[in-house]
Amino acid sequence: MGDGSLSQEEIDALLMGADDMGGGGGGAGADPFAGMGGGGAGGGGGLSPSETDLLTDAFNEAMATAGNQASALLESKTTSIKVTKIEQVDGSVPGSEVQPGSPVIKISMGSYASCFVFPTDIAGRIAMLMMGQEGVPDEIDEAHLSTLSELLNTIVSSMSNGLAGKFNDSLTPGAPDGVLFNSAADLPTYNGNVAKITYSVNIEGLPGSKIVQYLDGAAAKKWAGSLSGSGAAASSASSGGDFDFGAPASSGNVMSGGGIPMNPVNFPSLQASASSNQQLPPNFELLLDVQMVMTVELGRTRKYVKDILGLGEGSIIELDKLAGEPVDLLVNGKLIAKGEVVVIDENFGVRVTDIVGPSERIARMGSN
C-alpha cells in the first residue's frame, strides 16, 4: 500500500511466519535447533569471512586429535568431529534457539564462557555406548549427563591443548556441568555476541548428527585476530600504515601506531641447529654425551601419611591434572617440555607438543 501501512494479506503472512518459528517441544529425536535461523551479529565486532575460515581450519585441526581421544571412551569406535559452520550471533540467540529438554554441557575454555548442546537422541546413544549398553534411553538422566560431561572434558581438553599455542592464549577448560535445558538460565552468561560453532559428528555404528558450541564472541574475535595478525601487519605495512617493522628483533618491544607494545613471537626449534649451538656456553659440547634421567610425569598429589598407609590394591589416587591435559617431561627433575601420551607398537611414548627454549632448558637443568 502506498501509505506505508500493511495490508491484511501481509499481516497474515507475518503471523504465519511467527507460527513457523514457534516450534514444538523437543522429542527423543528432535533437533534442538529446529526452526531457528542463525541470527544476526548484534553490534560490532563480528567475524569476517576470512577470520571465519581461519578459525574453521584451526578448530578442525584440533578436533582431528580430539576425535581420536574421544574414540578411546567410545568403545574404540572411529570418531570424526568436524566444523561445518562458524557464525557470530546475538547473545540472546542461544537462549531462544535451544529446545527444552536438550542436554547442555557447560565447560569454559580458559576464562571464556562456552557450552555444547546435543540432540537428545544422539546424546542418549553416546551415553549408552560409553556405559557399555546399546540403544536409546527413555529419558536423559543424571548418569547420562555425567557420562556426556566426561566425554566433553576429554574433547575440550584435547582441543584446548591444540589451540592454545595457535591462539597464544590460556585455554585450560573448567569443570564440565551437564544440565537439561529449560530456560536461558541454564546456559552460561555471555557478555555481548556469541560465536555459534556447528560440528558434524560421525561415530562408527551410530547415525550421523551434529552438536553446537556456543562460545564467548570476544574469544572468537580475539583468536581470529591472533591467526590473522601476521597477514594484517603485512597488509598495513604494504599500504603505508602506521606499523613500523624496521627495528631488529633484539631491540625489544615494537610499538604500533596506536602505542600498543607488540613483542615478536619466537618459535623454538625441536631440533638442534647451528644457531642454537651458538647459544650454548663455552665447552658445553664436552657434556653432550653425558646421560641424564628423563621422566614423564602424569600428575602429582599430596596425601596424609595415614592415607598412604591405607593404600591397597584397587585404591584410586586422584591427581592434580584433568583428563586430556599434557604430561610433563622432566630431566633430572626439571621441567623441559610437555607432551601427549601415544602408543608405539606395545610401548608407551610421548609426543612433544610444547618445549622450553634451549637457553632456558639449560638454565633449568643447571639450577638447584
Side-chain angles (χ1 to χ4, degrees):
M1 296 179 64
D3 59 359
S5 60
L6 296 176
S7 66
Q8 185 61 45
E9 290 78 11
E10 291 171 326
I11 294 174
D12 292 340
L14 287 174
L15 291 175
M16 290 179 63
D19 291 339
D20 292 339
M21 294 292 287
D31 184 344
F33 321 102
M36 299 300 299
L47 295 171
S48 68
S50 61
E51 289 175 329
T52 299
D53 291 341
L54 289 171
L55 284 175
T56 298
D57 291 342
F59 271 80
N60 274 333
E61 184 176 341
M63 273 301 187
T65 302
N68 294 333
Q69 298 271 356
S71 176
L73 298 179
L74 297 169
E75 300 291 327
S76 298
K77 302 287 187 181
T78 302
T79 303
S80 172
I81 308 174
K82 294 183 178 180
V83 176
T84 60
K85 189 175 184 180
I86 297 180
E87 55 189 322
Q88 195 96 339
V89 300
D90 186 84
S92 62
V93 168
S96 62
E97 191 171 71
V98 182
Q99 293 295 306
S102 299
V104 176
I105 309 299
K106 295 180 284 186
I107 180 168
S108 60
M109 297 181 66
S111 60
Y112 307 107
S114 171
C115 73
F116 290 77
V117 182
F118 287 78
T120 307
D121 59 341
I122 194 65
R125 290 178 183 274
I126 290 174
M128 295 285 279
L129 180 61
M130 292 180 63
M131 297 166 70
Q133 304 175 27
E134 296 182 355
V136 182
D138 295 333
E139 60 181 14
I140 302 294
D141 57 22
E142 289 295 329
H144 299 127
L145 288 174
S146 177
T147 303
L148 290 173
S149 296
E150 179 184 357
L151 176 65
L152 257 298
N153 187 52
T154 297
I155 291 175
V156 176
S157 295
S158 177
M159 182 173 65
S160 297
N161 290 337
L163 294 175
K166 292 179 180 293
F167 298 156
N168 193 27
D169 202 353
S170 175
L171 303 183
T172 303
D177 179 24
V179 298
L180 294 179
F181 181 82
N182 288 312
S183 67
D186 293 320
L187 300 177
T189 300
Y190 297 101
N191 298 318
N193 290 344
V194 174
K196 176 183 175 183
I197 308 175
T198 304
Y199 302 91
S200 65
V201 181
N202 291 284
I203 302 172
E204 181 184 355
L206 297 184
S209 186
K210 69 176 182 179
I211 59 176
V212 169
Q213 178 185 11
Y214 294 106
L215 171 70
D216 191 323
K221 188 65 178 179
K222 176 183 177 182
W223 297 342
S226 68
L227 294 174
S228 60
S230 58
S235 174
S236 175
S238 63
S239 61
D242 295 329
F243 291 99
D244 180 12
F245 297 97
S250 60
S251 63
N253 292 345
V254 178
M255 301 299 293
S256 71
I260 301 174
M262 299 171 60
N263 292 321
V265 179
N266 297 316
F267 296 96
S269 172
L270 297 181
Q271 298 179 347
S273 62
S275 60
S276 63
N277 288 336
Q278 293 174 359
Q279 300 174 4
L280 297 177
N283 299 324
F284 189 80
E285 291 83 356
L286 299 175
L287 302 176
L288 295 181
D289 291 331
V290 176
Q291 291 188 346
M292 304 185 75
V293 178
M294 176 175 284
T295 305
V296 177
E297 184 176 279
L298 178 62
R300 297 186 180 189
T301 189
R302 289 178 176 271
K303 292 285 186 182
Y304 292 110
V305 173
K306 61 180 181 181
D307 295 329
I308 296 174
L309 295 177
L311 293 176
E313 293 184 5
S315 299
I316 296 176
I317 302 174
E318 184 176 355
L319 303 177
D320 59 355
K321 285 195 176 182
L322 298 174
E325 278 196 278
V327 295
D328 294 334
L329 273 69
L330 310 175
V331 172
N332 280 13
K334 306 298 182 182
L335 176 67
I336 67 162
K338 293 180 179 291
E340 59 184 19
V341 178
V342 296
V343 177
I344 305 173
D345 295 329
E346 296 181 356
N347 298 324
F348 284 114
V350 175
R351 185 175 71 88
V352 175
T353 58
D354 185 19
I355 193 165
V356 178
S359 299
E360 187 176 354
R361 214 180 312 157
I362 294 170
R364 284 177 179 271
M365 287 188 289
S367 62
N368 294 325

